[in-house]
């Protein structure tokens, strides 16, 4: 595998790249991650089974889409490829550490606010279905935000749970309640990161860097809501964000609705206490 990776990387770089160092990196439950080096240039590489190639291609598409606003700092895409048994995604390597700096957090808030304000998309969705974690995320275009979120986010997750024999009530009723909660809310579509928890952003010598997106055009509040779901973001981040893009007064009433999507996804992926969390949110909406 590594010989094939070195050969393909040499073709992309247009010089002979020989891997002299390979370090397994912590983090990432889906793919194996490594730092590779030829003694001069280092790269970050994700490796998975060959069948995973379409998923790496979707990740490339997501990173490319987010770069268009020219406001966020994201990894540079070097190559997506495969060999006999494996698929891999190669990105530039940048040393990272947790986003624990007040200054960097404020800066990221500014960047995200500018990004959410960018674009002239009039519908909600994305050009392709993608993944949030390992769960398929349908993204068919809709003009109505309440319809899109209630059906393609909450309804879809409830369907997946039903297939596992788990229900939180009548799915059609829950979808209808979510729709009613959002029916009077008419946000302008923003290109979301889609999986914005603290594990998908780091601080670097260049500044805050985002990765592992699950993008689609939706309500910018969805990204903000998820930052509050699992914590890990300093108050400076929110101060920076709201200095350019103040949150609507109704945000607090929608936050749990938006986070129900990610709680349901964690139910599908992990089960456990997330089942109780999901049920509590559903009950509070009734």
């Amino acid at each position: 595998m590594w010989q094939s990776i070195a050969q393909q990387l040499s073709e992309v770089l247009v010089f002979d790249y020989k891997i002299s160092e390979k370090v397994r990196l912590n983090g990432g439950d889906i793919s194996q991650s490594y730092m590779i080096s030829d003694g001069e240039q280092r790269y970050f590489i994700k490796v998975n089974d060959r069948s995973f190639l379409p998923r790496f291609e979707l990740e490339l598409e997501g990173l490319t889409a987010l770069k268009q606003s020219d406001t966020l700092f994201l990894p540079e895409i070097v190559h997506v490829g495969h060999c006999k048994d494996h698929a891999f995604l190669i990105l530039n390597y940048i040393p990272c550490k947790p986003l624990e700096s007040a200054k960097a957090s404020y800066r990221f808030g500014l960047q995200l606010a500018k990004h959410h304000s960018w674009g002239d998309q009039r519908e909600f969705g994305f050009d392709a279905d993608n993944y949030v974690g390992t769960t398929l995320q349908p993204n068919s275009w809709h003009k109505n935000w309440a319809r899109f979120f209630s059906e393609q986010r909450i309804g879809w997750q409830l369907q997946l749970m039903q297939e596992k024999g788990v229900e939180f009530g009548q799915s059609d009723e829950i979808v209808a309640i979510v729709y009613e909660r959002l029916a009077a809310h008419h946000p302008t579509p923003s290109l979301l990161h889609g999986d914005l928890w603290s594990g998908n952003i780091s601080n670097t010598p260049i500044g805050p860097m985002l990765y592992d997106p699950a993008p689609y055009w939706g309500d910018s509040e969805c990204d903000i809501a998820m930052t509050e779901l699992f914590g890990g973001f300093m108050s400076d981040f929110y101060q920076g964000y709201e200095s350019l893009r103040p949150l609507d007064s109704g945000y607090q009433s929608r936050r749990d609705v938006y986070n129900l999507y990610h709680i349901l996804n964690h139910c599908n992926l992990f089960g456990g206490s997330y089942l109780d969390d999901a049920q509590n949110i559903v009950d509070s909406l009734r």
Side-chain angles (χ1 to χ4, degrees):
M1 177 184 73
W2 293 107
Q3 182 178 354
S4 180
I5 290 173
Q7 179 179 349
Q8 293 185 41
L9 191 51
S10 296
E11 293 172 356
V12 170
L13 299 174
V14 198
F15 66 83
D16 189 22
Y17 189 90
K18 295 182 179 180
I19 300 174
S20 60
E21 182 182 11
K22 179 173 80 271
V23 179
R24 179 74 183 270
L25 302 176
N26 295 325
D29 298 325
I30 300 173
S31 300
Q32 296 178 354
S33 300
Y34 298 87
M35 184 281 291
I36 60 174
S37 173
D38 67 346
E40 293 185 7
Q41 298 194 38
R42 296 183 292 178
Y43 295 96
F44 174 83
I45 181 167
K46 291 183 179 182
V47 179
N48 211 308
D49 295 336
R50 180 166 175 169
S51 61
F52 204 82
L53 180 62
R55 300 271 294 276
F56 283 146
E57 291 173 339
L58 286 170
E59 183 172 347
L60 182 154
E61 184 176 344
L63 289 169
T64 300
L66 290 173
K67 284 178 178 290
Q68 292 179 43
S69 70
D70 199 28
T71 58
L72 301 173
F73 177 45
L74 300 125
E76 292 297 328
I77 301 159
V78 179
H79 182 57
V80 175
H82 65 84
C83 54
K84 181 180 179 181
D85 298 317
H86 296 89
F88 44 87
L89 169 65
I90 305 176
L91 306 169
N92 65 321
Y93 176 82
I94 299 177
C96 297
K97 61 182 180 180
L99 187 65
E100 297 175 341
S101 157
K103 182 178 180 181
S105 295
Y106 188 88
R107 179 180 177 185
F108 175 56
L110 293 175
Q111 291 172 340
L112 187 65
K114 291 177 182 178
H115 174 77
H116 281 165
S117 301
W118 166 84
D120 56 2
Q121 177 58 246
R122 297 184 179 181
E123 296 188 15
F124 302 98
F126 200 60
D127 285 337
D129 295 343
N130 48 30
Y131 290 83
V132 53
T134 58
T135 307
L136 182 67
Q137 180 171 258
N139 291 317
S140 296
W141 292 103
H142 277 61
K143 293 182 179 180
N144 185 295
W145 169 243
R147 184 72 63 197
F148 174 87
F149 190 84
S150 62
E151 294 180 359
Q152 294 201 65
R153 293 296 177 260
I154 304 304
W156 171 247
Q157 290 286 343
L158 291 174
Q159 178 184 325
L160 295 178
M161 291 303 299
Q162 280 184 322
E163 293 171 359
K164 296 179 178 179
V166 179
E167 296 188 11
F168 302 97
Q170 293 293 325
S171 294
D172 290 346
E173 177 189 358
I174 297 171
V175 169
I177 291 172
V178 170
Y179 176 84
E180 288 300 321
R181 283 295 185 104
L182 299 177
H185 182 52
H186 304 288
T188 299
S190 295
L191 183 58
L192 308 184
H193 176 277
D195 195 10
L196 191 53
W197 69 291
S198 59
N200 284 341
I201 181 168
S202 294
N203 201 12
T204 76
I206 302 174
M209 181 174 70
L210 272 173
Y211 38 84
D212 291 345
Y216 64 97
W217 291 86
D219 183 0
S220 58
E221 291 179 355
C222 290
D223 270 351
I224 301 302
M226 191 177 185
T227 66
E228 296 193 76
L229 179 59
F230 300 118
F233 287 81
M234 301 180 69
S235 61
D236 304 83
F237 160 72
Y238 302 101
Q239 293 169 9
Y241 187 91
E242 293 201 67
S243 71
L244 294 181
R245 192 179 174 91
L247 292 172
D248 186 272
S249 59
Y251 163 70
Q252 296 295 330
S253 66
R254 291 183 289 271
R255 181 179 57 190
D256 286 350
V257 178
Y258 290 157
N259 281 338
L260 177 59
Y261 173 55
H262 295 290
I263 291 295
L264 287 172
N265 186 46
H266 278 63
C267 288
N268 273 299
L269 295 175
F270 311 115
S273 63
Y274 292 113
L275 296 169
D276 293 332
D277 293 339
Q279 189 66 67
N280 289 335
I281 294 178
V282 169
D283 291 343
S284 72
L285 295 178
R286 290 194 171 99

